[in-house]
């Protein structure tokens, strides 16, 4: 992908932050502090049709430092998947080297980002770095027990369907190296509102047969996080797990069933 003439310096990263009614939870000072000490990183907040004063909060960040904070507004609430997709399509126009998405509640601290970028520097063949919530000694991973066990069952099924030994598809902190192939993974609307992460991987798998591209197993790196804490106020309800299951079947049918 050729960068526009006004592109920022090499190493530039845009982090898309989807926001739906996040005014009370958005840690403005942490975003400001991280941006001030981390050159080359720009935040793009996507206001997903919020009904609170999220717009006022993120537009205040943009006014104070438009070089480091941008805002992209959706007219109505479209869900996290479409908010992330809209943010990525907008970010591609700026010609960055890396684009990622990061949960607005900062359950994954922003201080984890340099480790993501270090993976890209050290491993030129890696195209996607996914945060992985592995509760190892010396790390601080705090998840509600019920969600942990539901997540492990889901991850096992997903790994079987994708034919990949992936541990954690749903951590809301992922970064991608911008290549000629990446925009194609975001071109069409996602099937799922919540598990679009799985759909991105499935699309990458489906795009590879008959090409000389390396297998997906060689382009994804799972990075064990040093810290991840559940933050109160999650918008996922118990009944959404039923919707997630149905969405997974739809993703499997569209992208993966021919591989079994």
């Amino acid at each position: 992908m050729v960068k526009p003439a006004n592109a920022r310096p090499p190493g530039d990263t845009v982090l898309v932050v989807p926001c739906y009614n996040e005014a009370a939870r958005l840690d403005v000072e942490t975003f400001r502090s991280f941006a001030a000490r981390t050159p080359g990183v720009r935040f793009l907040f996507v206001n997903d049709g919020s009904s609170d004063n999220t717009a006022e909060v993120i537009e205040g960040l943009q006014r104070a430092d438009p070089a480091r904070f941008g805002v992209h507004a959706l007219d109505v609430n479209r869900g996290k998947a479409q908010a992330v997709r809209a943010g990525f399509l907008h970010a591609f126009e700026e010609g960055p080297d890396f684009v990622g998405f990061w949960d607005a509640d900062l359950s994954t601290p922003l201080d984890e980002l340099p480790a993501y970028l270090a993976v890209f520097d050290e491993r030129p063949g890696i195209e996607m770095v996914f945060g992985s919530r592995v509760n190892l000694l010396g790390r601080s991973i705090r998840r509600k027990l019920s969600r942990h066990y539901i997540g492990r069952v889901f991850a096992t099924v997903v790994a079987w369907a994708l034919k990949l030994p992936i541990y954690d598809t749903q951590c809301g902190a992922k970064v991608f190296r911008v290549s000629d192939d990446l925009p194609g993974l975001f071109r069409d609307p996602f099937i799922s509102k919540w598990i679009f992460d799985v759909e991105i991987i499935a699309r990458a798998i489906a795009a590879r047969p008959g090409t000389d591209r390396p297998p997906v197993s060689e382009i994804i790196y799972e990075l064990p996080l040093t810290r991840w804490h559940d933050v109160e106020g999650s918008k996922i309800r118990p009944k959404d797990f039923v919707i997630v299951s149905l969405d997974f079947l739809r993703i499997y049918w569209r992208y993966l069933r021919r591989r079994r």
Side-chain angles (χ1 to χ4, degrees):
M1 176 176 292
V2 177
K3 286 193 170 190
N6 62 347
R8 284 178 291 277
D12 181 57
T13 302
V14 175
L15 279 190
V16 172
V17 183
C19 299
Y20 176 63
N21 290 348
E22 295 286 356
R25 300 201 303 172
L26 202 68
D27 190 341
V28 170
E29 290 308 315
T30 294
F31 279 103
R32 283 177 176 158
S33 174
F34 184 82
R37 68 178 187 273
T38 313
V41 176
R42 173 175 166 82
F43 293 96
L44 177 62
F45 294 96
V46 179
N47 184 9
D48 186 21
S50 298
S51 57
D52 65 356
N53 65 333
T54 293
E56 179 182 339
V57 173
I58 58 180
E59 287 168 6
L61 278 167
Q62 182 183 42
R63 284 193 300 271
D65 191 352
R68 308 304 296 277
F69 298 105
V71 173
H72 181 67
L74 303 181
D75 52 353
V76 296
N77 177 240
R78 301 178 186 274
K80 182 179 178 181
Q82 303 311 333
V84 168
R85 174 176 170 267
F88 267 63
L89 294 177
H90 188 82
F92 291 146
E93 297 175 1
E94 301 180 5
D97 292 296
F98 306 101
V99 180
F101 60 87
W102 215 267
D103 282 346
D105 62 13
L106 299 184
S107 48
T108 304
L110 291 171
D111 286 339
E112 297 285 332
L113 179 62
Y116 283 68
L117 301 180
V119 172
F120 289 119
D121 288 341
E122 296 163 7
R123 298 170 177 259
I126 294 298
E127 299 178 21
M128 309 176 187
V129 178
F130 295 173
S132 188
R133 297 163 291 184
V134 186
N135 196 13
L136 303 171
L137 291 174
R139 299 172 187 266
S140 181
I141 308 298
R142 299 179 188 170
R143 301 180 70 184
K144 292 180 180 177
L145 203 57
S146 59
R147 287 196 176 184
H148 170 73
Y149 287 123
I150 291 172
R152 295 314 313 139
V153 171
F154 178 76
T156 300
V157 173
V158 168
W160 170 84
L162 296 175
K163 294 186 178 179
L164 292 174
I166 190 165
Y167 181 84
D168 185 1
T169 61
Q170 298 312 115
C171 178
K174 295 179 171 66
V175 183
F176 302 76
R177 190 191 302 273
V178 177
S179 66
D180 290 335
D181 296 330
L182 185 62
L185 302 183
F186 293 84
R187 183 177 299 117
D188 299 323
F190 292 114
I191 292 173
S192 175
K193 177 180 179 180
W194 295 114
I195 59 169
F196 65 95
D197 319 63
V198 175
E199 191 168 353
I200 291 170
I201 302 170
R203 287 180 177 186
I205 291 170
R208 271 158 165 71
T211 73
D212 59 358
R213 300 169 188 166
V216 169
S217 60
E218 295 181 8
I219 67 168
I220 297 177
Y221 185 95
E222 282 197 277
L223 178 69
L225 299 174
T226 60
R227 186 173 181 270
W228 189 96
H229 291 176
D230 250 324
V231 176
E232 292 299 324
S234 172
K235 299 175 179 65
I236 299 180
R237 302 156 298 178
K239 69 178 183 179
D240 288 326
F241 289 109
V242 176
I243 298 172
V244 164
S245 299
L246 294 174
D247 284 351
F248 177 71
L249 291 175
R250 294 168 65 198
I251 290 169
Y252 178 84
W253 185 259
R254 178 174 295 187
Y255 301 107
L256 303 170
R257 63 187 174 91
R258 294 188 180 92
R259 300 174 67 235
R260 303 312 309 179

